[in-house]
Amino acid sequence: MATTAQLFEEPFDADEYIERLAWRTPGGGSKGGAEAFDPKKLLEEFVNHIEELKQLDERIQRKVEKLEQQCHREAKEFAHKVQDLQRSNQIKEAADIIQKLHLIAQELPFDRFSDVKAKIASKYHDLERQLIQEFTAAQRRGEIGRMREVAAVLLHFKGYAHCVDVYIKQCQEGAYMRNDVFEDIAILCQRVNKQVGEVFCSPETVMAKLIQSIFENRIQAHVKERLEETRHSDVEQYLKNLYDLYSRTTALAAKLTDFNLDKHTFLSKLIKNIFSCYLESYIDMERQYLQNRSGLILQRYYDSKNHQKRPVGTGSMQELKERIRQRTNLPLGPSIDTHGETFLSQEVVVNLLQETRHAFERCNKLSDPADLPKNAFSIFLLLVEYLCVDHIDYALEIGLSAIPSPDAKNANLYFLDVVQQLLSLRFDKQFNDHLMPLISSSPKLTECLHKKKEVIEQMEVKLDTGIDRTLNCMIGQMKHILVTEQKKTDFKPEDENNVMIQYTTACSKVCAYVSKQVERVRRSMDGKNVDTVLTELGVRFHRLIHEHLQQFSYSSMGGMLAICDVAEYRRSAKDFRVPLVLQLFDTLHALCNLLVVAPDNLKQVCSGEQLTNLDRNLLHAFVQLRVDYRSARLGRHFS
């Protein structure tokens, strides 16, 4: 039979228990049964059962001792709680009494009740100090309920504000453990915001005081440390730090507005108190840094090219030269050899635009709203000065100076490389993406647009001038080839029956040169610019060939050769992909037919579709180039 405590539950009869044990033991029944009575087995069972009873007694005794200890401990804890509640009530009662006595004492005359007033005041301050100490201890223990009780009692005491100060100081202890102070502050405020509502009757006021303490102490010290170490030694890092700190402070303030704070006045004032001394001088430092940095970028580039910048003339004399050059296309002054260098750098442009973009971003964040358009415009003017004037305009000036005269031989036309690089720049993107949003609603917009228009127009004038002079040089090169390679005997061969060539050497070389230049123009430009420039080049090319052909006399075979040359020129004209240019060479080809047509058919040819609308003097001039003009009396057809 298993030995358990349940066997001894009331009512318990020892004799019945022993009898039941003996009866269940094999051979132990007193009345006989299936087995004969066996005293040894019964004795063995009794011995074993007694041992089990001893073990059961030990277990029960240990359990009793444990329960007694737990009961004593709980009794002690209960007694402490009762004492705390009694003491708490005595504090509340004492506080109520001393508060009332303190108010009454204020009305008592000092001369008669000075001792009483002093005792009441002393007791008032002692109790106030004890309450604050109790609140401090409860906060350290994390006893929210006790903190709430003490704070409620202190609410009517002068030391209530000191209680709040103690709370604010203690809740910041150990709060700044990370490298990111702003993240620490956000976590701290979230935690405290949940707690102050359980402790204080005016949680918004306590949170405001906590945030004020954080801003005026922790954040201000952090900002000062970060900025003062670089303010005079590393302006670039100083500006980056200022932007980062101000951005993160305002972002933190935006999070804190969830705590029912007046974001427009309270938080803005706190931020202003921290940063005002830095923001007052911000734009001056920004402009000075941007000037120094931009100048350094340019200087490093020109140094890498071993180039000493040439002074670009200014004043009335330079303006006069510029007007003469634009109107007459004269290369005033000797051309310089740039050795193929455009003095335009994509890397320089990217760096200048990037520095300016950072400046615009800082300007947008750090400028007073009233000063933002003015400050942004001043940054834009620096971009114009260093990028547009000191780099791009300088490259255009150098490029213009490097364009050789039209009569130069083997001229290298690098100005198209300048055009190609300049057209790849995207100055408009910086203007539209970063400047326009900062000035779009201010009077500075008109001034800024005017400045942009002025700068672009100045560039376009120089580009147009350079392209025009470059086209003149191309025509000059073609003219040089024609003068050098074209012989008078080409169109009036000595042996009319022994001409073996399809077109003249001069024509072949001119066409090869034209093909290269057309391809170069296409590489250097895009869009409508290509068509515009190729149209102008094609018109001048046609004029050159037209005038060139009028310098010779043509025999019958020579006229045929001239037609072959013009056909080859027309084939080159197709590369222009400009209908006007092809039409001009079609007409020139038709004119050349006048050099070989039979005299009797001359009038019929002049009335043909391609020549009928041309001036008769022009037709006559071409007919006069024939060697048989006088002998065949061809002039009578135009009389």
Coordinates of all heavy atoms in Angstrom, one line a residue, residues 250-319:
T250 N 16.5 70.5 -35.9 CA 15.2 70.8 -36.4 C 14.4 69.6 -36.6 O 13.2 69.6 -36.3 CB 15.2 71.7 -37.7 OG1 16.0 71.0 -38.6 CG2 15.8 73.0 -37.4
A251 N 15.0 68.5 -37.0 CA 14.3 67.2 -37.2 C 13.9 66.7 -35.8 O 12.8 66.2 -35.7 CB 15.2 66.2 -37.9
L252 N 14.8 66.8 -34.8 CA 14.4 66.4 -33.5 C 13.2 67.3 -32.9 O 12.3 66.7 -32.3 CB 15.6 66.6 -32.5 CG 15.4 66.3 -31.0 CD1 15.0 64.9 -30.8 CD2 16.6 66.7 -30.2
A253 N 13.3 68.6 -33.2 CA 12.2 69.4 -32.8 C 10.9 69.0 -33.4 O 9.8 69.1 -32.8 CB 12.5 70.9 -33.1
A254 N 10.9 68.6 -34.6 CA 9.7 68.1 -35.3 C 9.1 66.9 -34.6 O 7.9 66.8 -34.5 CB 10.0 67.8 -36.8
K255 N 10.0 66.0 -34.2 CA 9.5 64.8 -33.4 C 8.9 65.2 -32.1 O 7.9 64.7 -31.6 CB 10.7 63.9 -33.2 CG 11.2 63.2 -34.4 CD 12.3 62.2 -34.0 CE 12.9 61.6 -35.2 NZ 14.0 60.6 -34.9
L256 N 9.5 66.2 -31.4 CA 9.0 66.6 -30.1 C 7.7 67.4 -30.1 O 7.1 67.6 -29.1 CB 10.1 67.5 -29.4 CG 11.5 66.9 -29.3 CD1 12.4 67.8 -28.6 CD2 11.4 65.6 -28.5
T257 N 7.3 67.8 -31.3 CA 6.0 68.5 -31.4 C 4.8 67.6 -31.0 O 3.7 68.0 -30.8 CB 5.7 69.1 -32.8 OG1 5.9 68.1 -33.7 CG2 6.8 70.2 -33.1
D258 N 5.1 66.2 -31.1 CA 4.1 65.3 -30.7 C 3.7 65.4 -29.2 O 2.7 64.8 -28.8 CB 4.5 63.9 -31.0 CG 4.8 63.6 -32.5 OD1 4.2 64.4 -33.3 OD2 5.5 62.7 -32.8
F259 N 4.5 66.1 -28.4 CA 4.3 66.1 -27.0 C 3.5 67.4 -26.6 O 3.6 67.9 -25.5 CB 5.6 66.1 -26.2 CG 6.5 65.0 -26.6 CD1 7.9 65.1 -26.7 CD2 5.9 63.7 -26.8 CE1 8.6 64.0 -27.0 CE2 6.7 62.6 -27.1 CZ 8.1 62.8 -27.2
N260 N 2.6 67.8 -27.5 CA 1.7 69.0 -27.3 C 2.5 70.2 -26.9 O 2.0 71.0 -26.0 CB 0.7 68.6 -26.2 CG -0.2 67.4 -26.6 OD1 -0.5 67.3 -27.7 ND2 -0.5 66.5 -25.6
L261 N 3.6 70.5 -27.6 CA 4.3 71.7 -27.3 C 4.0 72.7 -28.4 O 3.7 72.4 -29.5 CB 5.9 71.4 -27.3 CG 6.3 70.4 -26.3 CD1 7.8 70.1 -26.6 CD2 6.1 70.8 -24.9
D262 N 4.1 74.0 -28.1 CA 3.9 75.1 -29.0 C 5.1 75.1 -29.9 O 6.1 75.8 -29.6 CB 3.7 76.4 -28.3 CG 3.2 77.5 -29.3 OD1 3.4 77.3 -30.5 OD2 2.7 78.5 -28.9
K263 N 5.1 74.5 -31.1 CA 6.3 74.3 -31.9 C 6.7 75.6 -32.5 O 7.9 75.8 -32.8 CB 6.0 73.3 -33.0 CG 4.9 73.7 -34.0 CD 4.7 72.6 -35.0 CE 3.5 73.0 -36.0 NZ 3.3 72.0 -37.0
H264 N 5.8 76.5 -32.7 CA 6.2 77.8 -33.4 C 7.0 78.7 -32.6 O 8.0 79.3 -33.0 CB 5.0 78.5 -34.0 CG 5.3 79.7 -34.7 ND1 6.0 79.7 -36.0 CD2 5.2 81.1 -34.4 CE1 6.1 80.9 -36.4 NE2 5.7 81.8 -35.5
T265 N 6.7 78.8 -31.3 CA 7.4 79.7 -30.4 C 8.4 79.1 -29.5 O 9.6 79.4 -29.5 CB 6.3 80.5 -29.5 OG1 5.6 79.5 -28.8 CG2 5.4 81.3 -30.4
F266 N 8.0 78.0 -28.8 CA 8.8 77.4 -27.8 C 10.1 76.8 -28.4 O 11.2 77.1 -28.1 CB 8.0 76.4 -27.0 CG 8.8 75.7 -25.9 CD1 9.3 76.3 -24.9 CD2 9.1 74.3 -26.1 CE1 10.1 75.7 -23.9 CE2 9.8 73.6 -25.1 CZ 10.3 74.3 -24.0
L267 N 9.8 75.8 -29.3 CA 11.0 75.1 -29.9 C 11.8 76.0 -30.8 O 13.0 75.9 -30.8 CB 10.5 73.9 -30.7 CG 9.9 72.7 -29.8 CD1 9.2 71.7 -30.7 CD2 10.9 72.1 -28.9
S268 N 11.1 76.8 -31.6 CA 11.9 77.8 -32.4 C 12.8 78.7 -31.6 O 13.9 79.0 -32.1 CB 10.9 78.6 -33.3 OG 10.1 77.8 -34.1
K269 N 12.3 79.1 -30.5 CA 13.1 80.0 -29.7 C 14.3 79.2 -29.1 O 15.5 79.8 -29.0 CB 12.3 80.5 -28.5 CG 13.0 81.6 -27.7 CD 12.1 82.1 -26.6 CE 12.8 83.2 -25.7 NZ 11.9 83.7 -24.7
L270 N 14.1 78.0 -28.7 CA 15.2 77.2 -28.2 C 16.3 77.0 -29.3 O 17.5 77.1 -29.0 CB 14.7 75.8 -27.7 CG 13.8 75.8 -26.5 CD1 13.4 74.4 -26.2 CD2 14.6 76.4 -25.3
I271 N 15.9 76.7 -30.5 CA 16.8 76.5 -31.6 C 17.5 77.8 -31.9 O 18.8 77.8 -32.2 CB 16.1 76.0 -32.8 CG1 15.5 74.6 -32.6 CG2 17.0 75.9 -34.1 CD1 14.6 74.0 -33.7
K272 N 16.8 78.9 -31.9 CA 17.4 80.2 -32.2 C 18.5 80.5 -31.2 O 19.6 81.1 -31.6 CB 16.3 81.2 -32.3 CG 16.9 82.6 -32.7 CD 15.7 83.6 -32.8 CE 16.3 85.0 -33.2 NZ 15.2 86.0 -33.2
N273 N 18.2 80.3 -29.9 CA 19.2 80.6 -28.9 C 20.5 79.8 -29.1 O 21.6 80.3 -28.7 CB 18.6 80.3 -27.5 CG 17.5 81.3 -27.1 OD1 17.4 82.4 -27.7 ND2 16.6 80.9 -26.2
I274 N 20.4 78.6 -29.6 CA 21.6 77.8 -29.8 C 22.4 78.2 -31.0 O 23.6 78.4 -31.0 CB 21.2 76.3 -29.9 CG1 20.6 75.8 -28.6 CG2 22.4 75.5 -30.3 CD1 20.1 74.4 -28.7
F275 N 21.7 78.5 -32.1 CA 22.4 78.7 -33.4 C 22.5 80.1 -33.9 O 23.1 80.4 -34.9 CB 21.6 77.9 -34.5 CG 21.8 76.4 -34.4 CD1 20.8 75.6 -33.7 CD2 22.9 75.8 -34.9 CE1 21.0 74.2 -33.6 CE2 23.1 74.4 -34.8 CZ 22.1 73.6 -34.2
S276 N 21.9 81.1 -33.2 CA 21.8 82.4 -33.7 C 23.2 83.0 -33.9 O 23.5 83.7 -35.0 CB 21.0 83.3 -32.8 OG 21.6 83.3 -31.5
C277 N 24.1 82.7 -33.0 CA 25.5 83.3 -33.2 C 26.2 82.7 -34.4 O 27.2 83.3 -34.9 CB 26.3 83.1 -31.9 SG 26.5 81.4 -31.4
Y278 N 25.8 81.5 -34.8 CA 26.5 80.9 -36.0 C 25.8 81.3 -37.3 O 26.4 81.4 -38.3 CB 26.4 79.4 -35.8 CG 27.1 78.9 -34.5 CD1 26.3 78.4 -33.5 CD2 28.5 78.9 -34.4 CE1 26.9 77.9 -32.3 CE2 29.1 78.5 -33.2 CZ 28.3 78.0 -32.2 OH 28.9 77.5 -31.0
L279 N 24.5 81.4 -37.2 CA 23.7 81.7 -38.4 C 23.9 83.1 -38.9 O 23.7 83.5 -40.1 CB 22.2 81.4 -38.2 CG 21.8 80.0 -37.9 CD1 20.3 79.8 -37.7 CD2 22.3 79.0 -38.9
E280 N 24.2 84.0 -37.9 CA 24.4 85.5 -38.3 C 25.5 85.6 -39.3 O 25.5 86.5 -40.2 CB 24.7 86.3 -37.1 CG 23.4 86.5 -36.2 CD 23.8 87.2 -34.9 OE1 25.0 87.4 -34.6 OE2 22.9 87.5 -34.1
S281 N 26.6 84.8 -39.1 CA 27.7 84.9 -40.0 C 27.8 83.8 -41.1 O 28.8 83.7 -41.8 CB 29.0 84.9 -39.2 OG 29.1 83.6 -38.5
Y282 N 26.7 83.0 -41.2 CA 26.8 81.9 -42.1 C 27.0 82.3 -43.5 O 27.9 81.7 -44.2 CB 25.4 81.1 -42.0 CG 25.2 80.3 -43.3 CD1 26.0 79.2 -43.6 CD2 24.2 80.8 -44.2 CE1 25.8 78.6 -44.8 CE2 24.0 80.1 -45.4 CZ 24.8 79.0 -45.7 OH 24.6 78.4 -46.9
I283 N 26.2 83.2 -44.1 CA 26.3 83.4 -45.5 C 27.6 84.0 -45.9 O 28.2 83.7 -47.0 CB 25.1 84.3 -46.0 CG1 25.0 84.3 -47.6 CG2 25.3 85.7 -45.5 CD1 24.8 82.9 -48.2
D284 N 28.2 84.8 -45.0 CA 29.6 85.4 -45.3 C 30.6 84.3 -45.4 O 31.5 84.3 -46.3 CB 30.0 86.4 -44.2 CG 29.1 87.6 -44.3 OD1 28.6 88.0 -45.4 OD2 28.9 88.3 -43.2
M285 N 30.5 83.3 -44.5 CA 31.5 82.2 -44.5 C 31.2 81.3 -45.7 O 32.1 80.8 -46.3 CB 31.4 81.4 -43.2 CG 31.7 82.2 -41.9 SD 31.9 81.2 -40.5 CE 33.4 80.3 -40.8
E286 N 29.9 81.1 -46.0 CA 29.6 80.3 -47.2 C 30.2 80.9 -48.5 O 30.8 80.2 -49.3 CB 28.1 80.2 -47.3 CG 27.6 79.3 -48.4 CD 27.8 77.8 -48.1 OE1 27.0 77.2 -47.4 OE2 28.8 77.3 -48.7
R287 N 30.0 82.2 -48.7 CA 30.5 82.8 -49.9 C 32.0 82.8 -49.9 O 32.6 82.6 -51.0 CB 30.0 84.3 -49.9 CG 28.4 84.4 -50.1 CD 28.0 85.8 -50.3 NE 28.3 86.3 -51.6 CZ 29.4 87.1 -51.8 NH1 30.1 87.5 -50.9 NH2 29.6 87.5 -53.1
Q288 N 32.6 83.1 -48.8 CA 34.1 83.1 -48.7 C 34.6 81.7 -49.0 O 35.6 81.5 -49.8 CB 34.6 83.5 -47.3 CG 36.1 83.7 -47.2 CD 36.6 84.8 -48.2 OE1 36.0 85.9 -48.2 NE2 37.6 84.5 -48.9
Y289 N 34.0 80.7 -48.4 CA 34.5 79.3 -48.7 C 34.3 78.9 -50.2 O 35.2 78.4 -50.8 CB 33.7 78.3 -47.8 CG 33.8 76.9 -48.3 CD1 35.0 76.2 -48.2 CD2 32.8 76.3 -49.0 CE1 35.2 74.9 -48.7 CE2 32.9 75.0 -49.5 CZ 34.1 74.3 -49.3 OH 34.3 73.0 -49.8
L290 N 33.1 79.3 -50.7 CA 32.8 79.0 -52.1 C 33.8 79.7 -53.1 O 34.2 79.1 -54.1 CB 31.4 79.3 -52.5 CG 30.8 78.8 -53.8 CD1 30.9 77.2 -53.8 CD2 29.4 79.2 -53.9
Q291 N 34.1 80.9 -52.8 CA 35.1 81.6 -53.6 C 36.5 80.9 -53.5 O 37.1 80.7 -54.6 CB 35.3 83.1 -53.1 CG 34.1 84.0 -53.4 CD 34.3 85.4 -52.8 OE1 34.6 85.5 -51.7 NE2 34.1 86.4 -53.7
N292 N 36.9 80.6 -52.3 CA 38.2 80.0 -52.2 C 38.3 78.6 -52.8 O 39.2 78.2 -53.5 CB 38.6 79.9 -50.7 CG 38.8 81.2 -50.0 OD1 39.1 82.2 -50.7 ND2 38.7 81.3 -48.7
R293 N 37.2 77.8 -52.6 CA 37.2 76.5 -53.1 C 37.1 76.5 -54.6 O 37.8 75.7 -55.3 CB 35.9 75.8 -52.5 CG 35.8 74.3 -53.0 CD 36.9 73.5 -52.6 NE 36.7 72.1 -53.0 CZ 37.7 71.2 -53.0 NH1 38.9 71.5 -52.6 NH2 37.5 69.9 -53.4
S294 N 36.2 77.4 -55.2 CA 36.1 77.4 -56.7 C 37.4 77.9 -57.3 O 37.9 77.3 -58.3 CB 35.0 78.4 -57.0 OG 33.8 78.0 -56.5
G295 N 38.1 78.9 -56.7 CA 39.3 79.3 -57.2 C 40.4 78.2 -57.2 O 41.2 78.1 -58.1
L296 N 40.4 77.4 -56.1 CA 41.3 76.3 -56.0 C 41.1 75.3 -57.0 O 42.0 74.7 -57.6 CB 41.2 75.7 -54.6 CG 42.2 74.6 -54.3 CD1 43.7 75.1 -54.4 CD2 41.9 74.0 -52.9
I297 N 39.8 74.9 -57.3 CA 39.5 73.9 -58.3 C 40.0 74.4 -59.7 O 40.6 73.6 -60.4 CB 38.0 73.7 -58.4 CG1 37.5 73.0 -57.1 CG2 37.6 72.9 -59.6 CD1 36.0 72.9 -57.0
L298 N 39.8 75.6 -60.0 CA 40.3 76.2 -61.3 C 41.8 76.2 -61.4 O 42.4 75.8 -62.4 CB 39.7 77.6 -61.5 CG 38.2 77.7 -61.8 CD1 37.8 79.1 -61.9 CD2 37.8 76.9 -63.1
Q299 N 42.4 76.6 -60.3 CA 43.9 76.7 -60.3 C 44.5 75.4 -60.5 O 45.5 75.2 -61.2 CB 44.4 77.4 -59.0 CG 45.8 77.8 -59.1 CD 46.2 78.7 -60.2 OE1 45.5 79.7 -60.4 NE2 47.2 78.4 -61.0
R300 N 44.0 74.4 -59.8 CA 44.6 73.0 -59.9 C 44.4 72.5 -61.3 O 45.3 71.8 -61.8 CB 43.8 72.1 -58.9 CG 44.2 72.3 -57.5 CD 43.4 71.4 -56.5 NE 43.9 71.4 -55.2 CZ 43.3 70.9 -54.1 NH1 42.2 70.1 -54.4 NH2 43.7 71.0 -52.9
Y301 N 43.3 72.8 -62.0 CA 43.1 72.4 -63.3 C 44.2 73.0 -64.3 O 44.8 72.3 -65.0 CB 41.7 72.7 -63.8 CG 41.5 72.5 -65.3 CD1 41.6 71.2 -65.9 CD2 41.4 73.6 -66.1 CE1 41.4 71.0 -67.2 CE2 41.3 73.4 -67.5 CZ 41.3 72.1 -68.0 OH 41.1 72.0 -69.4
Y302 N 44.3 74.3 -64.2 CA 45.2 75.0 -65.1 C 46.7 74.6 -64.8 O 47.5 74.5 -65.7 CB 45.0 76.5 -65.0 CG 43.7 77.0 -65.5 CD1 42.8 77.6 -64.7 CD2 43.3 76.7 -66.8 CE1 41.5 78.0 -65.2 CE2 42.1 77.1 -67.3 CZ 41.2 77.7 -66.5 OH 40.0 78.1 -66.9
D303 N 47.0 74.4 -63.5 CA 48.3 73.9 -63.1 C 48.6 72.5 -63.7 O 49.7 72.2 -64.2 CB 48.5 73.8 -61.6 CG 48.6 75.2 -61.0 OD1 48.8 76.2 -61.7 OD2 48.4 75.3 -59.7
S304 N 47.6 71.7 -63.8 CA 47.7 70.3 -64.3 C 48.0 70.4 -65.8 O 48.6 69.5 -66.4 CB 46.5 69.5 -64.1 OG 45.4 69.9 -64.9
K305 N 47.6 71.5 -66.5 CA 47.8 71.7 -67.9 C 49.1 72.6 -68.1 O 49.4 72.9 -69.3 CB 46.6 72.4 -68.5 CG 45.3 71.6 -68.4 CD 45.4 70.3 -69.2 CE 44.1 69.6 -69.1 NZ 44.2 68.3 -69.9
N306 N 49.8 72.9 -67.1 CA 51.0 73.8 -67.2 C 50.6 75.1 -67.9 O 51.3 75.6 -68.8 CB 52.1 73.1 -67.9 CG 52.7 72.0 -67.1 OD1 52.8 72.1 -65.9 ND2 53.0 70.8 -67.7
H307 N 49.4 75.6 -67.6 CA 48.9 76.8 -68.3 C 48.8 78.0 -67.3 O 48.2 77.9 -66.3 CB 47.5 76.4 -68.9 CG 46.9 77.6 -69.5 ND1 47.3 78.1 -70.7 CD2 45.8 78.4 -69.1 CE1 46.5 79.2 -71.1 NE2 45.6 79.3 -70.1
Q308 N 49.4 79.0 -67.8 CA 49.3 80.3 -67.0 C 48.2 81.1 -67.7 O 48.2 81.4 -68.8 CB 50.6 81.1 -67.1 CG 50.6 82.4 -66.3 CD 50.5 82.2 -64.8 OE1 51.1 81.2 -64.3 NE2 49.8 83.0 -64.2
K309 N 47.1 81.4 -66.9 CA 45.9 82.0 -67.5 C 46.3 83.4 -68.0 O 47.0 84.2 -67.4 CB 44.8 82.2 -66.4 CG 44.1 81.0 -66.1 CD 42.8 81.3 -65.3 CE 41.8 81.9 -66.1 NZ 40.5 82.1 -65.4
R310 N 45.8 83.6 -69.3 CA 46.1 84.9 -69.9 C 45.0 85.9 -69.4 O 43.9 85.6 -69.3 CB 46.0 84.8 -71.4 CG 46.9 83.8 -72.0 CD 46.6 83.5 -73.5 NE 46.7 84.8 -74.3 CZ 46.0 85.1 -75.3 NH1 44.9 84.4 -75.6 NH2 46.2 86.2 -75.9
P311 N 45.4 87.1 -69.2 CA 44.4 88.1 -68.7 C 43.5 88.4 -69.9 O 44.0 88.7 -71.0 CB 45.3 89.3 -68.4 CG 46.6 89.1 -69.1 CD 46.8 87.7 -69.2
V312 N 42.2 88.4 -69.6 CA 41.2 88.7 -70.6 C 40.9 90.2 -70.5 O 40.5 90.7 -69.4 CB 39.9 87.9 -70.4 CG1 38.9 88.3 -71.4 CG2 40.3 86.4 -70.6
G313 N 41.1 90.9 -71.6 CA 41.0 92.4 -71.5 C 39.6 92.8 -71.2 O 38.6 92.2 -71.5
T314 N 39.5 94.0 -70.5 CA 38.2 94.5 -70.1 C 38.3 96.0 -70.4 O 39.3 96.6 -70.7 CB 37.9 94.3 -68.6 OG1 38.9 94.9 -67.8 CG2 37.7 92.9 -68.3
G315 N 37.2 96.7 -70.4 CA 37.1 98.1 -70.6 C 36.7 98.5 -72.0 O 36.4 97.7 -72.8
S316 N 36.8 99.8 -72.3 CA 36.3 100.3 -73.5 C 37.0 99.8 -74.7 O 36.5 99.5 -75.8 CB 36.3 101.8 -73.5 OG 37.7 102.3 -73.3
M317 N 38.4 99.6 -74.7 CA 39.2 99.2 -75.8 C 38.8 97.7 -76.1 O 38.6 97.4 -77.3 CB 40.7 99.3 -75.5 CG 41.5 98.8 -76.7 SD 41.2 99.7 -78.2 CE 41.8 101.4 -77.7
Q318 N 38.7 96.9 -75.1 CA 38.3 95.5 -75.3 C 36.9 95.4 -75.9 O 36.6 94.6 -76.8 CB 38.4 94.7 -74.0 CG 38.0 93.2 -74.1 CD 38.9 92.4 -75.0 OE1 40.1 92.9 -75.3 NE2 38.5 91.3 -75.5
E319 N 36.0 96.2 -75.4 CA 34.6 96.2 -75.9 C 34.6 96.6 -77.4 O 33.9 96.1 -78.2 CB 33.8 97.1 -75.0 CG 33.5 96.6 -73.6 CD 32.8 97.6 -72.8 OE1 32.5 98.7 -73.3 OE2 32.6 97.3 -71.6

